Amino acid sequence: MPLAAGEQLTSKWQFRELIEEDLVDYARVDLGLVGGITEARKVAGWAETHGIQLAPHNPLGPVATAACLHLDLATPNVGVQEQPARPGTSLTDVFPVQVDWADGYLLPPTRPGLGIVFDREAARRHPFRMAELPHLRRTDGTLTNW
């Protein structure tokens, strides 16, 4: 059974043991935690030398999806892309132009930058509000992460 790990690691150095010891089949790099596209490409290159595929972790929205797509397009060893929702189904007022999607695939952008459009005025209608996320518990009552 293929093993994937790494979605909570925050630098290429934290991936070192997983990669060097061939402990995973998929490196689950999270662009928001690892340091962006550049650092994720370093992890990807290192993983490629060990026959490890990338499975970018994308638990967020339109910006993360667009950034992950750019990583995917520039990386030969991408195995699968986590996608929390189909582009164009969330925050459509704030991001009126999102990554294109067809037949279950994210499509390469033809627009500049990440290929998305941000509407600052719409974003102002959604101010940040601090909120406590639900705490997940195991059956024995201990806390666990997502």
Side-chain angles (χ1 to χ4, degrees), residues 3-79:
L3 183 62
E7 67 188 49
Q8 296 179 341
L9 303 182
T10 59
S11 76
K12 64 182 172 277
W13 303 115
Q14 289 188 341
F15 277 92
R16 187 176 65 93
E17 184 178 10
L18 292 178
I19 294 170
E20 292 293 322
E21 300 295 327
D22 294 317
L23 299 176
V24 295
D25 301 290
Y26 293 90
R28 301 258 325 193
V29 63
D30 184 312
L31 294 179
L33 294 176
V34 80
I37 294 172
T38 300
E39 192 75 355
R41 290 276 296 139
K42 293 174 185 178
V43 172
W46 199 355
E48 184 183 15
T49 66
H50 286 263
I52 296 170
Q53 295 191 46
L54 218 62
H57 177 58
N58 177 18
L60 302 172
V63 176
T65 295
C68 283
L69 175 56
H70 280 267
L71 171 67
D72 297 345
L73 293 170
T75 306
N77 56 318
V78 171

Side-chain angles (χ1 to χ4, degrees), residues 67 93 101-102 137:
D93 57 335
W101 170 279
R137 294 185 180 275

